[in-house]
Each structure stands twice: as C-alpha cells, then as structure tokens.
C-alpha cells in the first residue's frame, strides 16, 4: 500500500510547485442524490443541489443532473447523465451551462485493507454567458480509497473515503498533463437506514488559470444526502 500513498503525497505536494499567485476561496455545497431501480441491472435518478461562496467573491449555483446507470456485476458500472448548472455572480456575468457526461466506474482491486474505486468521465460542456456561447470537452479521472469495514464509536453503520480527482481539458494541445484542476476529498458518513445515508465532505480544490499568472484554491464543506426509493 505504500506506493499508493506515495503517489497521493506526490500529487498533493506538486500543487505548490507552480509559480503563480494563489487566491483562496471558501464554499459550502449541499446536494441530494436519488435512485430508483428499474430492474436488476438498471437504475435511474441523479442529483441536484446548491453551492455558494463565503467571502468577498460571491456566487450562487444551482444544478440538477438526471442519470441512468447500468451494471450486471459488482466489478463495474456505466452511466450517462445530462446536467444543467446555473451560476449567479455578484461581480460578473451569470453563467448557464449544459453538460452531457459518459462515465465508467471500476471497483478493483478490493483488499482486506482498502477498496479501490476508479471513475473515468468525459463531459461535453456548453456555456451560455449573456448572448455568447462556448463549448469544451474535458476528461475527469477519480481514484477513491475506502476501508471495507469502517467503524466509529463501535458502530458499523459509518463509512469513510479518500479521493483524488483530476480534470483535463481536451484540446489540440494539453498544457497540463496531470490536469489544470485537482480535487482532494475526505468523506465521513453514516448509513442511517439501508436506503438513506448522509455524508460530510471536506474538499480542497486547486485550479490553474490558463494564460494568467494566478491560481485558485477552494476550501469546500459539502453535505450530501443519498436515498434509494425502492
């Protein structure tokens, strides 16, 4: 397991090695994920939520993301989603974004110490700012580590997870081979019932602003609710 944690440490520390002025922001996210099983292998649902900032730079963002998920075993699943993100800024133009996403998740390997979860997602993004339109395609890869049996206060209905995710914009020339945006996330949650769970997430996110001499660091607290309808 040592090489895995060495990789995490390298990726984490590498974010401090680029010579840009850093601005730090603080955000709060809340979201709800719902699922409805259509059969043995397919379920539909998705998530929706609200995000805002705390500090000088103010924004409010609302989103919804209908999703269909398919899997015929415990090793992997495939997803397709359509989402809409609406961002309202106090100091700049408002933003409306439409996304189409194709996603594959691989749950391997599973050891007695850790469960590994790999997620590869491709997003086609369409931006609408006032009367201007832009589009972009990006790839997202996320690696998650979680203990298979996690207990807290002697209770077994808790769960914990550590993730790292990179965002790579797909253009003719990729400026940052490891991605221009990285997201580190620590999760502690409680499985209240077999269908309902709640998680508390801390996210540290770094963003390199292309063609500018500064970057962004985001400290994010997220509360995520998840419920399976049947």
């Amino acid at each position: 397991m040592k090489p895995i944690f060495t990789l995490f440490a390298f990726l984490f520390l590498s974010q401090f090695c680029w010579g840009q002025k850093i601005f730090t922001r603080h955000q709060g996210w809340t979201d709800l994920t719902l699922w409805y099983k259509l059969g043995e292998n397919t379920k539909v649902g998705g998530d929706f939520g609200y995000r805002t900032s705390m500090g000088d730079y103010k924004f409010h963002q609302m989103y919804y993301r209908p999703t269909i998920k398919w899997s015929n075993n415990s090793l992997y699943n495939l997803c397709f989603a359509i989402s809409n993100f609406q961002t309202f800024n106090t100091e700049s133009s408002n933003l409306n974004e439409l996304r189409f996403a194709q996603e594959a998740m691989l749950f391997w390997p599973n050891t007695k110490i850790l469960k590994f979860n790999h997620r590869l997602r491709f997003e086609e993004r369409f931006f609408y700012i006032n009367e201007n339109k832009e589009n972009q395609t990006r790839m997202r890869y996320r690696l998650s580590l979680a203990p298979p049996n996690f207990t807290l206060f002697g209770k077994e209905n808790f769960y914990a997870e550590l993730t790292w995710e990179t965002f790579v914009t797909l253009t003719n020339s990729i400026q940052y081979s490891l991605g221009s945006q990285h997201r580190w996330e620590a999760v502690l949650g409680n499985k209240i019932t077999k269908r309902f769970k709640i998680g508390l997430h801390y996210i540290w996110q770094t963003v390199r602003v292309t063609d500018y001499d500064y970057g962004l660091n985001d400290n994010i607290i997220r509360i995520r609710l998840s419920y399976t309808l049947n």
Side-chain angles (χ1 to χ4, degrees):
M1 307 311 299
K2 185 177 179 180
I4 296 296
F5 289 103
T6 301
L7 174 62
F8 265 74
F10 167 76
L11 294 171
F12 180 84
L13 293 174
S14 67
Q15 306 309 305
F16 298 98
C17 298
W18 35 282
Q20 293 180 316
K21 186 176 181 180
I22 304 299
F23 295 90
T24 300
R25 303 179 300 183
H26 304 278
Q27 301 181 29
W29 296 3
T30 58
D31 47 54
L32 172 65
T33 301
L34 297 174
W35 290 111
Y36 182 84
K37 298 178 182 177
L38 293 179
E40 184 178 352
N41 300 327
T42 307
K43 59 182 180 180
V44 297
D47 57 325
F48 59 93
Y50 170 74
R51 301 173 180 179
T52 189
S53 63
M54 297 168 282
D56 296 333
Y57 174 75
K58 293 291 186 180
F59 81 93
H60 303 276
Q61 184 180 79
M62 294 176 288
Y63 79 94
Y64 57 91
R65 181 165 35 206
T67 305
I68 182 169
K69 182 179 293 187
W70 178 87
S71 175
N72 64 353
N73 58 53
S74 60
L75 181 62
Y76 69 92
N77 65 47
L78 303 174
C79 294
F80 176 76
I82 301 174
S83 58
N84 179 244
F85 286 72
Q86 297 186 19
T87 306
F88 304 94
N89 298 293
T90 57
E91 299 179 2
S92 60
S93 300
N94 296 330
L95 172 67
N96 186 21
E97 179 185 349
L98 177 66
R99 296 182 189 176
F100 297 90
Q102 306 82 46
E103 174 183 300
M105 295 184 69
L106 175 66
F107 306 95
W108 180 87
N110 288 331
T111 69
K112 294 181 180 181
I113 301 176
L114 285 175
K115 296 189 299 182
F116 291 74
N117 177 338
H118 309 266
R119 186 181 77 182
L120 182 64
R121 176 187 292 176
F122 291 91
E123 293 179 332
E124 297 79 42
R125 311 172 68 195
F126 301 87
F127 305 96
Y128 302 89
I129 306 174
N130 296 330
E131 297 181 356
N132 300 318
K133 299 180 181 179
E134 296 183 15
N135 63 81
Q136 178 192 92
T137 299
R138 72 179 178 186
M139 179 188 72
R140 299 170 58 171
Y141 168 73
R142 188 187 71 182
L143 172 63
S144 301
L145 305 178
N149 300 302
F150 181 77
T151 59
L152 188 64
F153 308 118
K155 304 291 185 179
E156 297 183 352
N157 57 327
F158 288 90
Y159 61 92
E161 187 177 18
L162 176 65
T163 74
W164 165 73
E165 185 173 14
T166 181
F167 300 70
V168 181
T169 302
L170 301 180
T171 60
N172 293 331
S173 60
I174 299 177
Q175 184 174 2
Y176 304 112
S177 58
L178 285 177
S180 59
Q181 179 177 337
H182 296 263
R183 182 178 295 174
W184 304 82
E185 189 165 3
V187 184
L188 178 63
N190 182 261
K191 300 176 183 177
I192 298 176
T193 68
K194 291 183 178 180
R195 295 185 180 182
F196 178 64
K197 63 181 181 181
I198 182 171
L200 177 63
H201 302 229
Y202 169 71
I203 301 171
W204 184 67
Q205 182 171 261
T206 64
V207 182
R208 300 184 185 187
V209 182
T210 307
D211 299 329
Y212 290 86
D213 59 351
Y214 68 90
L216 301 174
N217 283 352
D218 291 315
N219 290 300
I220 303 166
I221 298 296
R222 164 191 269 172
I223 298 176
R224 167 164 282 177
L225 307 175
S226 180
Y227 186 71
T228 301
L229 298 172
N230 61 344

